[in-house]
Amino acid sequence: MSAFRNHCPHLDSVGEITKEDLIQKSHGSCQDCKVRGPNLWACLENRCSYVGCGESQVDHSTIHSQETKHYLTVNLTTLRVWCYACSKEVFLDRKLGTQPSLPHVKPLHQTQENSVQDFKIPSNTTLKTPLVAVFDDLDIEVEEEDELKARGLTGLKNIGNTCYMNAALQALSNCPPLTQFFLDCGGLARTDKKPAICKSYLKLMTELWHKSRPGSVVPTNLFQGIKTVNPTFRGYSQQDAQEFLRCLMDLLHEELKEQVMEVEEDPQTITTEETMEEDKSQSDVDFQSCDSCSNSDKTENENGSRSFSEDNNETTMLIQDDENNSEISKDWQKEKMCNKISKINSEGELDKDRDSLSETVDLNNQETVKVQIHSRTSAQSASSPKRKKQHKKYRSVISDIFDGTIISSVQCLTCDRVSVTLETFQDLSLPIPGKEDLAKLHSSSHPTSIVKAGSCGEAYAPQGWIAFFMEYVKRFVVSCVPSWFWGPIVTLQDCLAAFFARDELKGDNMYSCEKCKKLRNGVKFCKVQKFPEILCIHLKRFRHELMFSTKISTHVSFPLEGLDLQPFLAKDSPAQIVTYDLLSVICHHGTASSGHYIAYCRNNLNNLWYEFDDQSVTEVSESTVQNAEAYVLFYRKSSEEAQKERRRISNLLNIMEPSLLQFYISRQWLNKFKTFAEPGPISNNDFLCIHGGVPPRKASYIEDLVLMLPQNIWDNLYSRYGGGPAVNHLYICHTCQIEAEKIEKRRKTELEIFIRLNRAFQEEDSPTTFYCISMQWFREWESFVKGKDGDPPGPIDNTKIAVTKCGSVMLRQGADSGQISEETWSFLQSIYGGGPEVILRPPVVHIDPDVLQTEEKIEVETRSL
């Protein structure tokens, strides 16, 4: 794997070792708890002979590294070497080798600290030379030993009702785009956010997919990190695998996200008014319905997540981090919630004039619940929909792989006004239709019926006489067998058709048309604008009513290959590939309150199916997988053309001609080329600044971001995919360096002055005046001065904590606010401006002079006695 070729600067600290020494140590025991192997780890620091246990026990080896700063350790069973500082696996032979070099390029001092708050501007103006791309960087190479003993067949030990986690991790592990990112681009798994889930996940993937894999591993670090953020998974009770997946993917997104600045309208809601007189059925062609999820299938955790306390050597800040104000906890809780269409429309309420592009649709009165779309809306900051504004937008490997877009619309049947909403989703929660729903769905597919364009019936439109004959035989067999014996036959296509079925909004479900200013009958449609690279499908098998939960055990048949999603694609969608192959299935056995989770996964190296039941891994047949009671399914876009292109480009390396120019290309994009069906245009902006150079922050690990290509490979990739920009020379951007030095000086100055003023404020015995400040704004400022956010906050915004009474501005009751001194307020306000001022003055207690004189007299008499 190319990730293992990355240079580790800590190899210089390795002492003289021999294989015989390691074998001798493997027969010993942990020096702390005396437990014997396997899974013992030996420290490789020069003149250190420590041997400790691994994650299957107390993990004394990790404790030893943290206490002594000895970063390199070797597993005495597999002889694999791990660097705690770099959070990646390294090879000892790299210590003896030399890096390829180009003329006039000197090594840059490796900065070991990755946290932004400890960021220092590099003084050296040269960069390390990136590695040259090889075959394994362009295509997944299947070695001979993989055919006999494929990688990725490592079990996960159950550490107390954690089968839900083990099944979810195995399903994600067998998603090649995500796993190859961590194996090939492991150096990008950098974060200053705790608990650093991406680093724990990187280590786990390295263990699961290593050639010398053990029979099973224990995902202790990953599990402990998730429990610190989300209290739902604490304790030893059984949890929901789908909820764990959402939590893990959201955390990985938060830690790995990169900011992308662009100028556009509000991303949540785009509404338009169309005259439908010429063809009132036009909306049927473009959209299919999508009901709002006004009621979630599973009660979400409303208490938020407990934050992971950070070590802080500075003076205590004004308000300590706790479980209610943790940035990670709040982001996770916000993004975890289901997006209601009614909420999106109300939040993105635009101008209601006929000529405006903005309008609002009120769907609050709807009671029918069909569709749940899990989306990550908090990844984008809210902006005013009435004007264009530069806002923050984020992307990560998670959003690149799992994000799709649904376009939904509501049409008034009186005035023909259409409101359109774009929603981002990471998984589709599909209903399992009952007998009545199936009858409605299948009636529209009858060959004598007219298949209305845009209706769910087009999902069943005949695709040839063979398909029609098989469908006819299936219906005949079902009709001959009593339904109480056979049960309804439900396919995944049925569930998708029910998901996208158009809905008539009438009766109790009429909606308020902003143009008509009345409740009107309407129709809802929705279709997919963009399907993700990997489609995660969640089947709603649990029905929650009051305090009881029941399980829907209806068998849903699903294809292993060739899932056709063309019927659910919007007409004007730019998507080209809509055929998917199954990667993995998470199955739930048992009842709603107790059960057991397992996963069936297709190994990407030998294309065989395996059952992952905690630490047990067994090969199974395709029929076993198809008969499984699916709960969560992962489908991957299939493209033979993409595979041929990878083979063609990889073969060019064998006929590589001498080149006068070398081109640099993003490792992240090469991972997309290697694993995506549609990698998209080349994007080198992840290692370049807006000025075309390397940002100073990324200079120390440029070799983790970039690979070097010969000219003929670049020419072929560029002519096929476009994008860019083309890069022949890497240099640290001088402009960004100056700006970074200024911003770093500003951070330090503001933080030091605040700490000094706040310390003086805390030492006051009875202050007469308190200034209140919005904690939402203060957290943004704190993230900036601590280096967690690159941009300073905007003006102070106290509007949410202030209320005006009798002409005076007062603190709103229960407002999320903090108290600072007048000097601190003046300092912050002089820099950022904003307001309004919210002042608290404690009541002054007036003491009667006679009473005070009497108390003093009593005190004197008491002393004399």
Side-chain angles (χ1 to χ4, degrees), residues 629-821:
E629 189 176 284
Y631 179 50
V632 180
L633 304 100
F634 286 90
Y635 277 92
R636 180 188 186 186
K637 278 184 181 178
S638 59
S639 172
E640 294 184 2
E641 181 182 353
Q643 297 178 8
K644 293 178 181 179
E645 183 67 12
R646 284 192 287 266
R647 286 193 293 266
R648 185 183 72 84
I649 296 295
S650 300
N651 291 332
L652 289 178
L653 288 174
N654 299 327
I655 56 175
M656 184 170 56
E657 301 176 357
S659 175
L660 296 178
L661 288 178
Q662 299 289 335
F663 287 81
Y664 299 102
I665 194 168
S666 163
R667 278 184 181 267
Q668 289 196 66
W669 187 87
L670 274 186
N671 179 67
K672 290 184 179 181
F673 171 77
K674 182 177 178 179
T675 59
F676 279 37
E678 297 174 315
I682 298 173
S683 176
N684 285 335
N685 294 321
D686 59 350
F687 67 88
L688 297 176
C689 68
I690 59 176
H691 311 108
V694 177
R697 278 200 313 107
K698 298 182 177 181
S700 62
Y701 56 95
I702 187 64
E703 72 276 13
D704 293 332
L705 302 173
V706 180
L707 281 176
M708 193 160 51
L709 293 178
Q711 182 177 342
N712 66 326
I713 301 294
W714 168 263
D715 289 342
N716 277 270
L717 290 175
Y718 183 75
S719 63
R720 173 68 174 83
Y721 298 101
V727 181
N728 296 114
H729 175 62
L730 294 177
Y731 63 94
I732 298 178
C733 179
H734 181 66
T735 303
C736 288
Q737 189 164 355
I738 294 176
E739 292 177 355
E741 290 172 350
K742 289 181 179 178
I743 206 74
E744 190 68 15
K745 183 177 180 180
R746 174 181 172 180
R747 283 192 181 112
K748 183 178 180 181
T749 302
E750 289 187 23
L751 184 59
E752 288 179 350
I753 294 178
F754 174 83
I755 292 176
R756 176 168 52 82
L757 293 176
N758 188 59
R759 184 186 295 116
F761 177 57
Q762 298 297 329
E763 292 174 353
E764 292 186 31
D765 292 333
S766 52
T768 58
T769 303
F770 296 94
Y771 278 72
C772 299
I773 192 167
S774 167
M775 284 306 300
Q776 179 178 350
W777 182 90
F778 184 83
R779 293 187 194 101
E780 294 179 5
W781 175 82
E782 186 177 15
S783 296
F784 166 68
V785 295
K786 286 187 173 182
K788 295 180 180 180
D789 193 341
D791 297 326
I796 299 174
D797 184 7
N798 277 348
T799 56
K800 293 183 179 180
I801 68 169
V803 60
T804 303
K805 293 183 178 180
C806 300
S808 301
V809 179
M810 304 177 65
L811 180 66
R812 186 186 302 274
Q813 186 175 2
D816 184 19
S817 64
Q819 298 174 357
I820 57 178
S821 65

Side-chain angles (χ1 to χ4, degrees), residues 402-415:
F402 296 99
D403 274 14
T405 306
I406 278 184
I407 181 170
S408 59
S409 65
V410 179
Q411 177 187 354
C412 175
L413 296 182
T414 302
C415 67

